[in-house]
Each structure stands twice: as C-alpha cells, then as structure tokens.
C-alpha cells in the first residue's frame, strides 16, 4: 500500500512512510524539547527495568495460589468416576525412580485405606506392584513434606497429611522403612 510523504510528495511503502525512514530531503530537525522528552522516557524505562523484580518459576505459597494449583490438578487428574465428588481427594503423586513419567495427577477416595490408594495409584500409573509378595520390596506412600511413610491400614481421611492438592511420593522401600531418606530429591525432580 503506497503512502505519500507530506513533505517531499514521493510514494513509499508502509515501512518507509516516515521522514527518518526514507531519508527525506525536506526533513526538518527534531525540536530540542522532543529530544529531551525522548531522553527522559528512556531514563524512566531504564530505571523501571532495573527495579523489575526477578520472575520466579516457583509458585508463591498463598491461599490463592494453592487454590489455583488445586484447580489445575483437578483438570488433569484421573480416577474412578464412581467416586462421589465430595469423597474425592486430589493428589499429585511423584512416581518411583525409573518410571516412564515423573508425576501422576489423580484422585482417590478419602474413605479408602492408604494401602488401597497405593494399589490404585500403581495400577493407574502403570507401576509394578508386588506388595502381595513377602520377598519383594514394598511399594509405599510417603509425605513429600518430610518423607514420612503413611501407614497403609489407615484411611486417607484419617491421615492428617493427605490433603486436597497435596503431593505424595510413591516409592519402593523395605517393609520396615518409616522414612524415605532422600525424599527432598524427589520433590526437586518433580518441579
């Protein structure tokens, strides 16, 4: 689309329509006031860029961000559709090392025992579960906050640390293990 310069009356494309872009022969010098204004604007922009806070990749721990994380988790979570909405417990599960995926968002029933939740989670995530064999390492559920093991015979509702939107670690360990030693590494890898 041709544009005519008002000063030299020649036609230019949109890219060269301004006097300074096509080196217009009749270009008038920029008034001193405009030069000072441009310098002031550049100074203000530079000071704002210097003061701009570094954007963190971590989510702030506020009640609003926790609700937002829960909402996102609910959108991605898989689970048994027969579980009533009021019974659902939404969890971000960090899967055992060597699994195809690092995490698995899902929901379970608050009324289930932790043992049943482990069995369901293993099946949903495609993780081998040999908890019925006495010789194999046991698949257990640990807290992502402190690495403590959840007792498998207690219901999820009775376990205080299992909350909607929470993160747990599913890992193989010795049957008598009460604490996951390197639990912090799992949380860092999942982020």
């Amino acid at each position: 689309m041709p544009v005519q310069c008002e000063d030299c009356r020649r036609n230019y494309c949109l890219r060269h329509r301004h006097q300074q872009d096509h080196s217009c022969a009749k270009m008038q010098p920029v008034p001193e006031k405009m030069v000072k204004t441009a310098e002031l604007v550049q100074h203000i922009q530079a000071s704002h860029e210097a003061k701009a806070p570094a954007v963190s990749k971590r989510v702030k721990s506020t009640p609003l961000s926790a609700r937002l994380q829960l909402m996102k988790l609910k959108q991605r979570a898989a689970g048994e559709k027969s579980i009533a909405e009021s019974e659902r417990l939404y969890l971000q599960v960090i899967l055992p090392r060597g699994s195809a995926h690092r995490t698995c968002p899902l929901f379970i029933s608050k009324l289930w025992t932790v043992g049943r939740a482990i069995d369901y989670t293993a099946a949903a995530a495609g993780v081998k579960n040999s908890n019925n064999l006495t010789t194999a390492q046991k698949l257990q559920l640990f807290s992502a906050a402190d690495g403590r093991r959840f007792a498998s015979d207690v219901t999820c509702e009775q376990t205080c640390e299992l909350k909607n939107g929470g993160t747990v670690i599913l890992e193989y360990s010795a049957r008598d293990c009460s604490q996951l030693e390197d639990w912090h590494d799992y949380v860092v890898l999942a982020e």
Side-chain angles (χ1 to χ4, degrees), residues 86-190:
S86 61
E87 285 181 22
R88 291 181 181 183
L89 178 64
Y90 291 87
L91 298 171
Q92 182 70 27
V93 181
I94 300 172
L95 299 175
R97 290 188 174 144
S99 298
H101 301 285
R102 288 186 180 174
T103 62
C104 176
L106 56 82
F107 63 87
I108 56 176
S109 173
K110 294 177 185 178
L111 306 177
W112 290 355
T113 62
V114 172
R116 181 173 177 193
I118 290 170
D119 293 340
Y120 178 78
T121 303
V127 175
K128 185 179 178 188
N129 184 358
S130 300
N131 285 358
N132 58 342
L133 303 176
T134 56
T135 57
Q137 280 197 321
K138 192 170 182 179
L139 193 59
Q140 300 190 66
L141 205 59
F142 297 90
S143 168
D146 58 10
R148 284 186 295 144
R149 180 181 56 87
F150 296 114
S152 59
D153 57 344
V154 178
T155 65
C156 296
E157 191 172 39
Q158 292 171 332
T159 305
C160 299
E161 290 95 13
L162 285 177
K163 297 196 183 316
N164 252 340
T167 303
V168 293
I169 302 169
L170 185 70
E171 186 56 88
Y172 298 102
S173 66
R175 292 186 176 275
D176 59 348
C177 177
S178 61
Q179 175 91 23
L180 192 61
E181 289 180 21
D182 52 354
W183 61 270
H184 190 265
D185 295 341
Y186 288 86
V187 177
V188 171
L189 288 173

Side-chain angles (χ1 to χ4, degrees), residues 53-69:
V55 178
S56 174
K57 290 184 179 181
R58 299 192 125 192
V59 178
K60 296 177 183 174
S61 66
T62 63
L64 181 61
S65 67
R67 287 197 314 250
L68 184 62
Q69 283 181 322

Side-chain angles (χ1 to χ4, degrees), residues 8-73:
C8 68
R9 302 284 182 212
R10 296 181 79 184
N11 289 328
Y12 295 97
C13 65
L14 287 176
R15 187 174 183 190
H16 295 97
R17 69 184 181 271
H18 300 292
Q19 286 182 330
Q20 61 270 21
D21 293 334
H22 68 265
S23 302
C24 184
K26 295 188 178 181
M27 187 163 89
Q28 299 172 4
V30 179
E32 182 68 26
K33 187 176 181 181
M34 288 182 71
V35 172
K36 288 183 179 179
T37 303
E39 289 174 359
L40 181 62
V41 167
Q42 286 179 344
H43 176 72
I44 291 170
Q45 286 177 338
S47 68
H48 281 289
E49 288 174 2
K51 292 179 184 177
V55 178
S56 174
K57 290 184 179 181
R58 299 192 125 192
V59 178
K60 296 177 183 174
S61 66
T62 63
L64 181 61
S65 67
R67 287 197 314 250
L68 184 62
Q69 283 181 322
L70 177 60
M71 183 179 71
K72 288 180 180 180
L73 183 62

